[in-house]
Short mmCIF file of all heavy atoms in Angstrom, two decimals:
data_model
loop_
_atom_site.label_atom_id
_atom_site.label_comp_id
_atom_site.label_asym_id
_atom_site.label_seq_id
_atom_site.Cartn_x
_atom_site.Cartn_y
_atom_site.Cartn_z
N ASP A 104 -79.29 -123.25 56.73
CA ASP A 104 -80.46 -123.25 57.62
C ASP A 104 -80.44 -124.41 58.59
O ASP A 104 -80.86 -124.28 59.74
CB ASP A 104 -81.75 -123.30 56.79
CG ASP A 104 -81.99 -122.02 56.00
OD1 ASP A 104 -81.34 -121.00 56.32
OD2 ASP A 104 -82.80 -122.04 55.06
N ILE A 105 -79.94 -125.54 58.17
CA ILE A 105 -79.80 -126.72 59.05
C ILE A 105 -78.79 -126.41 60.14
O ILE A 105 -79.04 -126.67 61.32
CB ILE A 105 -79.39 -127.97 58.25
CG1 ILE A 105 -80.55 -128.44 57.36
CG2 ILE A 105 -78.96 -129.12 59.22
CD1 ILE A 105 -80.19 -129.53 56.38
N PHE A 106 -77.65 -125.83 59.77
CA PHE A 106 -76.65 -125.48 60.74
C PHE A 106 -77.22 -124.45 61.75
O PHE A 106 -76.98 -124.57 62.96
CB PHE A 106 -75.42 -124.90 60.08
CG PHE A 106 -74.62 -125.90 59.28
CD1 PHE A 106 -73.78 -125.48 58.24
CD2 PHE A 106 -74.68 -127.25 59.56
CE1 PHE A 106 -73.04 -126.39 57.49
CE2 PHE A 106 -73.93 -128.17 58.83
CZ PHE A 106 -73.13 -127.75 57.81
N LYS A 107 -77.94 -123.48 61.24
CA LYS A 107 -78.52 -122.47 62.10
C LYS A 107 -79.52 -123.08 63.11
O LYS A 107 -79.55 -122.72 64.28
CB LYS A 107 -79.20 -121.38 61.26
CG LYS A 107 -79.72 -120.21 62.07
CD LYS A 107 -80.31 -119.14 61.13
CE LYS A 107 -80.82 -117.98 61.97
NZ LYS A 107 -81.37 -116.89 61.09
N GLN A 108 -80.33 -123.99 62.59
CA GLN A 108 -81.32 -124.63 63.46
C GLN A 108 -80.66 -125.35 64.62
O GLN A 108 -81.22 -125.37 65.75
CB GLN A 108 -82.14 -125.63 62.62
CG GLN A 108 -83.21 -126.36 63.44
CD GLN A 108 -84.02 -127.34 62.54
OE1 GLN A 108 -83.84 -127.37 61.33
NE2 GLN A 108 -84.85 -128.11 63.17
N TYR A 109 -79.53 -125.99 64.38
CA TYR A 109 -78.84 -126.73 65.46
C TYR A 109 -77.66 -125.99 66.04
O TYR A 109 -76.78 -126.58 66.66
CB TYR A 109 -78.45 -128.12 64.89
CG TYR A 109 -79.65 -128.90 64.48
CD1 TYR A 109 -79.94 -129.13 63.12
CD2 TYR A 109 -80.57 -129.37 65.44
CE1 TYR A 109 -81.07 -129.83 62.75
CE2 TYR A 109 -81.69 -130.07 65.05
CZ TYR A 109 -81.96 -130.30 63.70
OH TYR A 109 -83.10 -130.97 63.33
N LYS A 110 -77.62 -124.66 65.85
CA LYS A 110 -76.67 -123.78 66.47
C LYS A 110 -75.22 -124.13 66.17
O LYS A 110 -74.34 -124.18 67.02
CB LYS A 110 -76.88 -123.79 68.00
CG LYS A 110 -78.27 -123.32 68.41
CD LYS A 110 -78.46 -123.37 69.91
CE LYS A 110 -79.87 -122.92 70.31
NZ LYS A 110 -80.10 -123.01 71.75
N MET A 111 -74.98 -124.40 64.88
CA MET A 111 -73.65 -124.75 64.43
C MET A 111 -73.01 -123.58 63.63
O MET A 111 -73.69 -122.95 62.83
CB MET A 111 -73.71 -125.97 63.49
CG MET A 111 -74.10 -127.25 64.21
SD MET A 111 -72.69 -127.83 65.19
CE MET A 111 -73.29 -129.50 65.60
N ARG A 112 -71.72 -123.36 63.86
CA ARG A 112 -70.93 -122.43 63.09
C ARG A 112 -70.01 -123.22 62.16
O ARG A 112 -69.60 -124.32 62.47
CB ARG A 112 -70.09 -121.53 63.97
CG ARG A 112 -70.86 -120.47 64.74
CD ARG A 112 -69.87 -119.57 65.49
NE ARG A 112 -68.96 -118.86 64.61
CZ ARG A 112 -67.64 -119.14 64.51
NH1 ARG A 112 -67.08 -120.07 65.21
NH2 ARG A 112 -66.88 -118.43 63.68
N VAL A 113 -69.64 -122.57 61.03
CA VAL A 113 -68.72 -123.19 60.10
C VAL A 113 -67.51 -122.27 59.93
O VAL A 113 -67.52 -121.41 59.06
CB VAL A 113 -69.39 -123.44 58.74
CG1 VAL A 113 -68.43 -124.23 57.82
CG2 VAL A 113 -70.68 -124.20 58.89
N PRO A 114 -66.49 -122.39 60.78
CA PRO A 114 -65.33 -121.50 60.68
C PRO A 114 -64.48 -121.78 59.42
O PRO A 114 -63.81 -120.90 58.91
CB PRO A 114 -64.54 -121.78 61.93
CG PRO A 114 -65.47 -122.53 62.84
CD PRO A 114 -66.40 -123.27 61.93
N SER A 115 -64.52 -123.07 58.94
CA SER A 115 -63.60 -123.43 57.88
C SER A 115 -64.13 -124.59 57.01
O SER A 115 -65.03 -125.33 57.45
CB SER A 115 -62.25 -123.85 58.47
OG SER A 115 -62.41 -124.94 59.36
N VAL A 116 -63.55 -124.71 55.83
CA VAL A 116 -63.90 -125.82 54.94
C VAL A 116 -62.60 -126.38 54.35
O VAL A 116 -61.66 -125.66 54.08
CB VAL A 116 -64.84 -125.39 53.79
CG1 VAL A 116 -66.18 -124.91 54.31
CG2 VAL A 116 -64.19 -124.34 52.89
N HIS A 117 -62.60 -127.69 54.17
CA HIS A 117 -61.51 -128.36 53.43
C HIS A 117 -61.86 -128.37 51.96
O HIS A 117 -62.99 -128.66 51.57
CB HIS A 117 -61.37 -129.82 53.90
CG HIS A 117 -60.42 -129.98 55.04
ND1 HIS A 117 -59.93 -131.22 55.43
CD2 HIS A 117 -59.87 -129.08 55.91
CE1 HIS A 117 -59.13 -131.06 56.47
NE2 HIS A 117 -59.08 -129.80 56.79
N THR A 118 -60.88 -128.02 51.14
CA THR A 118 -61.11 -128.06 49.70
C THR A 118 -59.84 -128.56 49.03
O THR A 118 -58.89 -128.96 49.70
CB THR A 118 -61.56 -126.70 49.17
OG1 THR A 118 -61.91 -126.79 47.79
CG2 THR A 118 -60.49 -125.65 49.34
N ASP A 119 -59.81 -128.55 47.71
CA ASP A 119 -58.69 -129.17 47.01
C ASP A 119 -57.76 -128.11 46.39
O ASP A 119 -58.10 -126.92 46.27
CB ASP A 119 -59.21 -130.10 45.91
CG ASP A 119 -59.98 -129.33 44.87
OD1 ASP A 119 -61.17 -129.02 45.14
OD2 ASP A 119 -59.44 -129.02 43.80
N TYR A 120 -56.61 -128.56 45.96
CA TYR A 120 -55.56 -127.69 45.39
C TYR A 120 -56.05 -126.89 44.20
O TYR A 120 -55.92 -125.65 44.15
CB TYR A 120 -54.37 -128.57 44.98
CG TYR A 120 -53.04 -127.90 44.96
CD1 TYR A 120 -52.08 -128.19 45.95
CD2 TYR A 120 -52.69 -126.97 43.99
CE1 TYR A 120 -50.83 -127.61 45.92
CE2 TYR A 120 -51.43 -126.37 43.99
CZ TYR A 120 -50.51 -126.70 44.96
OH TYR A 120 -49.26 -126.12 44.96
#
Side-chain angles (χ1 to χ4, degrees):
D104 292 344
I105 290 171
F106 290 157
K107 185 176 181 179
Q108 180 180 352
Y109 298 108
K110 300 178 181 179
M111 292 286 192
R112 286 185 61 251
V113 186
S115 59
V116 297
H117 271 195
T118 187
D119 63 281
Y120 206 108

